[in-house]
């Protein structure tokens, strides 16, 4: 936390400061600078942040999973396991202070206490229950749970893991939107305000057409499209990728390789009976005959290209492994 706040060049909106329920304006703890003559705004002014903390303010690091590797690993694994977008924030609160006023979140939250102690008040006003968290304890807050928290006798640090759930309503909306594409986007008739009857009948016909389209639509198509959108819109996880790009062509049959723990990897059928690898931020299309080799690679944590001898000839397995290094799924063991 110290390194991120005081020495990382952090910028808003990755950081917020809150005091007793009030979010402080960014101008109160940031400064401007320039790089190569270009203005750079929203830079954290470490001295001003420290002054705010001494005055009882809470520092919030937002989207911490984007730049703190242990949380990157955790969030990637959770998204793959749960099938829902996840995020991580951190909250540093001085002794005896409270950040946010009682509020509700629109997503599920897991609170992981890391340092110090914090007392949480949960439930409706007048009916609250108190829970005190110490390092290593985890509190689950279902969507909509009213809550607030106050640090105890020492500085408190906790991390929240937010689960931004996909919903049945969202999936049904996707199916409806696909059916709406079949309805022409023509204008309502001129003068319809004087006699809406024609519009009512026209709407009835179009609603019937949408209902018919929905009744014959394939739910598999909707779910597959939803899955592909999710598994191609995650941030790329490419730590070490620069070195891989420079040395990836040095791979031979005996080079030890490992699958990146932070890389989402799902194998599905592709176009023209081919193979499609979903890698979190993109897709890779392959011929279907590579399926046995790809299934082996995705099942192993570490291997050598020579281990693919039962499914691929020497040249094919080297080409495949080099390609997967470029795509970020594999990395040489150093």
């Amino acid at each position: 936390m110290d390194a991120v706040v005081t020495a990382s060049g952090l910028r808003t909106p990755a950081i917020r400061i809150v005091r007793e329920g009030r979010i402080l304006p960014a101008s109160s703890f940031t400064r401007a600078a320039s790089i190569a003559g270009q203005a750079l705004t929203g830079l954290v002014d470490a001295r001003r942040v420290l002054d705010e903390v001494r005055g009882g303010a809470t520092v919030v690091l937002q989207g911490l999973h984007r730049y703190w590797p242990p949380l990157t690993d955790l969030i990637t694994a959770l998204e793959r396991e749960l099938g829902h977008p996840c995020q991580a924030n951190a909250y540093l609160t001085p002794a005896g202070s409270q950040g946010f006023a009682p509020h509700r979140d629109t997503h599920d939250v897991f609170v992981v206490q890391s340092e110090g102690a914090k007392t949480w008040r949960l439930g409706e006003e007048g009916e609250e229950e108190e829970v005190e968290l110490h390092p290593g304890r985890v509190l689950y807050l279902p969507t909509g749970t009213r809550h607030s928290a106050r640090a105890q006798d020492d500085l408190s640090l906790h991390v929240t893991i937010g689960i931004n759930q996909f919903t049945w309503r969202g999936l049904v909306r996707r199916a409806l939107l696909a059916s709406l594409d079949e309805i022409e986007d023509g204008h309502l008739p001129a003068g319809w305000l004087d006699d809406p009857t024609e519009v009512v009948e026209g709407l009835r016909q179009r609603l019937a057409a949408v209902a018919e389209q929905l009744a014959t639509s394939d739910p598999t198509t909707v779910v597959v499209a939803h899955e592909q959108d999710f598994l191609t819109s995650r941030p790329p996880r490419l730590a070490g990728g620069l070195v891989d790009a420079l040395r990836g062509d040095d791979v031979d049959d005996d080079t030890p390789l490992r699958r990146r723990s932070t890389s989402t990897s799902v194998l599905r059928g592709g176009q023209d009976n081919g193979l499609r690898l979903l890698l979190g931020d993109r897709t890779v299309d392959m011929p279907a005959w590579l399926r046995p080799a790809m299934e082996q690679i995705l099942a192993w944590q570490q291997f050598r290209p020579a281990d693919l001898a039962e499914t691929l000839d020497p040249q094919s397995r080297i080409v495949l492994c080099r390609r997967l290094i470029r795509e970020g799924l594999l990395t040489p063991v150093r």
Side-chain angles (χ1 to χ4, degrees):
M1 190 75 173
D2 195 300
V4 170
V5 171
T6 65
S8 69
L10 193 67
R11 298 176 65 189
T12 56
I15 182 172
R16 286 193 297 174
I17 296 183
V18 184
R19 185 191 295 118
E20 298 296 334
R22 184 173 69 90
I23 300 175
L24 302 187
S27 58
S28 67
F29 60 89
T30 62
R31 61 185 179 84
S34 63
I35 295 180
Q38 299 293 312
L40 195 64
T41 60
L43 276 170
V44 165
D45 186 320
R47 187 175 300 280
R48 296 167 79 181
V49 171
L50 295 178
D51 287 343
E52 294 291 352
V53 171
R54 293 189 187 99
T58 291
V59 176
V60 184
L61 298 186
Q62 303 189 116
L64 189 55
H65 60 287
R66 296 182 181 274
Y67 51 93
W68 188 251
L71 285 175
T72 300
D73 292 351
L74 176 62
I75 293 302
T76 301
L78 276 176
E79 289 192 336
R80 179 67 184 88
E81 181 74 18
L82 300 176
H84 295 276
C86 301
Q87 64 184 48
N89 298 338
Y91 299 77
L92 181 75
T93 304
S97 296
Q98 176 175 321
F100 291 94
H103 65 283
R104 308 171 194 273
D105 291 323
T106 57
H107 53 272
D108 282 11
V109 174
F110 291 91
V111 179
V112 184
Q113 189 70 21
S114 174
E115 186 77 18
K118 209 163 198 179
T119 298
W120 292 75
R121 295 179 62 84
L122 311 173
E124 300 306 315
E125 187 173 3
E127 302 177 357
E128 296 101 333
E129 296 182 6
E130 287 191 359
V131 177
E132 188 168 302
L133 293 189
H134 296 271
R137 298 301 298 274
V138 178
L139 174 66
Y140 171 54
L141 300 175
T143 300
T145 302
R146 185 175 182 271
H147 62 278
S148 61
R150 183 174 293 274
Q152 295 305 294
D153 297 334
D154 200 357
L155 176 145
S156 166
L157 175 65
H158 74 265
V159 174
T160 61
I161 307 299
I163 315 296
N164 300 297
Q165 307 97 326
F166 289 127
T167 65
W168 286 110
R169 179 182 296 176
L171 206 57
V172 170
R173 181 181 291 112
R174 184 177 192 122
L176 283 169
L177 289 175
S179 297
L180 287 178
D181 289 341
E182 303 299 319
I183 304 299
E184 83 282 3
D185 199 22
H187 294 262
L188 299 183
W192 72 271
L193 291 175
D194 294 328
D195 183 9
T197 305
E198 183 181 353
V199 173
V200 171
E201 182 57 31
L203 179 58
R204 180 178 290 111
Q205 294 173 5
R206 287 161 178 81
L207 288 176
V210 169
E212 183 178 355
Q213 178 72 19
L214 279 174
T216 58
S217 64
D218 181 9
T220 300
T221 302
V222 178
V223 174
V224 167
H226 178 68
E227 177 193 53
Q228 180 156 321
D229 281 356
F230 177 54
L231 292 178
T232 57
S233 61
R234 317 322 300 147
R237 313 296 193 193
L238 299 173
L242 180 59
V243 176
D244 290 349
L246 297 174
R247 299 180 179 173
D249 290 340
D250 296 337
V251 169
D252 59 30
D253 235 9
D254 293 320
T255 302
L257 305 173
R258 66 174 175 84
R259 187 162 46 83
R260 291 179 190 272
S261 60
T262 56
S263 178
T264 300
S265 49
V266 177
L267 203 58
R268 292 289 186 262
Q271 297 178 344
D272 300 324
N273 297 319
L275 197 62
R276 172 160 288 181
L277 179 64
L278 304 177
L279 284 177
D281 64 324
R282 62 204 178 287
T283 62
V284 178
D285 290 313
M286 303 175 173
W289 56 267
L290 283 175
R291 179 176 287 277
M294 287 302 306
E295 288 176 345
Q296 285 182 300
I297 290 172
L298 295 181
W300 292 331
Q301 291 297 321
Q302 186 169 318
F303 69 99
R304 299 171 189 270
D307 297 332
L308 298 169
E310 292 185 3
T311 56
L312 292 178
D313 62 77
Q315 181 178 359
S316 296
R317 58 186 182 246
I318 294 299
V319 170
L320 175 61
C321 289
R322 289 177 176 174
R323 171 73 185 280
L324 294 178
I325 290 172
R326 291 196 299 272
E327 297 293 350
L329 177 64
L330 300 179
T331 184
V333 176
R334 302 187 182 91

